[in-house]
Amino acid sequence: MKIKFFIKRTLIFIFILVTFLTYIHGYNEPWYKNAIFYEVFVRSFADSDGDRVGDLNGLIDKLDYFKNLNITALWLMPIFPSVSYHGYDVTDYYDIHPGYGTMEDFENLIRKAHEKNIKIILDLVVNHTSSRHPWFVSSASSYNSPYRDYYIWSTEKPEKNSNLWYKKPTGYYYALFWSEMPDLNFDNPKVREEVKKIAKFWIEKGVDGFRLDAAKHIYDDDSKNIQWWKEFYSYLKSIKPDVYLVGEVWDNEYKIAEYYKGLPSNFNFPLSDKIMNSVANQKDLGIIEFLEFERELFGENNTDFADAIFLRNHDQVRVRTFFGGSIDKSILAGSIYLTLPGIPFIYYGEEIGMEGSKPDEYIREPFKWTDDMKSKYQTYWIIPRHNLPGNGIAVDTEEKDPNSIYNYYKKLLEIRVKCRALSNGKIERIKTQDRSILAYKLELEDEKIMVVHNLNRIENTFNFNNEIKEKDILYIRNAKTERNKIILGPYSTVIVKIP
Ligand code: CA
């Protein structure tokens, strides 16, 4: 009797559990699948205390700026103590850069961002540390240091990649990027545990995930890298099931696809080039076919892949500068990637048409709140070369101008939030007579959206089999509709709901 009762109870329990899990799976997609990210260089963004260096309190004061734009998540470039202005060589993984604020400021930022439904991910730079990190200082000081094997040492200068090995009195150490950024030794289980401990510390502070710097360089071997990220991801999921990780695998689509075996999300570098080059060349170089091909490739390794799409980041020439200063082309490129499936990442300043080119500092210039650059939040840690006072490119001037990049980005993001087909739909190219028109359909459940762009500066016509009703037009720029025809002006875009 007792055993029968036990079996019955167990079966009922399993039934309830399965029902519950099906429910969770079907209705509770991870938050990041619908996120709209914004990459922030804290130093350049908003200053709260008058020293002209951007800081966490400045970011807190400006949370409504993101809210108004429909940004739902922030990627903060490194905020840990560091020797360099950019922060990619960390000296302490458990503290905040003193120029950016305190741990208390950070806790406030997380709390206030979450109150406004804005998630925060941190840039995690663990391929290497700063040469001034106490681990390395100790490691280099003696063969017997407990941190000796945290880094990669050789008594002789190796012949292979000899330019990547640097001399210290105790031997040669390996540093892929720069002599002052020695690579951590991930073959040492203690290093792997340290990295997990660092991530756990910040997750307990409330962060929602990490952007993984140099994700393909951890080892000189992709399969070992992937294995490590898999281990790291499953560990983090065990403490925070909805944690988001996005890898910087700056490589082709085949290489990125491999990393989906270990990571839920990776930046889509080749797609960004395809979009940028199509807009620059005024003709579609096969953006949608390429994206469909990539999605099939990624899906083979991870059915839940979350494609991180973007135009440019902090390491690349800025969008508007790439297009020789053209605002029309900048808006067009924005209207392409912001209507494609995936998770968009907007690089700060892209939405107001800031310019910038190498050296890197000048891709990361102070964000312009007002055109006169006299806002109390204005940063000024470097004298800008590209974004000068009075050029009209600033938040205050663009908010007022209905035809500004800012207002088109805002409109595109409003539509993206409303129409989930844009972020999660199935995409299909609509064939056109020539490649100066880029047209596609996105479909999710009952929602169908059609997007048409004219990549050329010459007017063009797009014929559709149904009549286009005024009320179904979600977005229109430089174009007009006539029954089933769209007259496309230079660099125009139309987004419509279709029956
Ligand atoms: Ca400051």
Side-chain angles (χ1 to χ4, degrees), residues 46-55 99:
D47 172 34
S48 71
D49 57 6
D51 68 357
R52 299 299 190 102
V53 173
D55 47 52

Side-chain angles (χ1 to χ4, degrees), residues 225-244:
N225 289 332
I226 292 160
Q227 194 49 46
W228 151 249
W229 290 124
K230 206 172 178 172
E231 176 187 329
F232 182 70
Y233 185 40
S234 32
Y235 168 71
L236 291 187
K237 273 196 293 189
S238 75
I239 48 177
K240 181 178 167 61
D242 68 343
V243 67
Y244 177 62

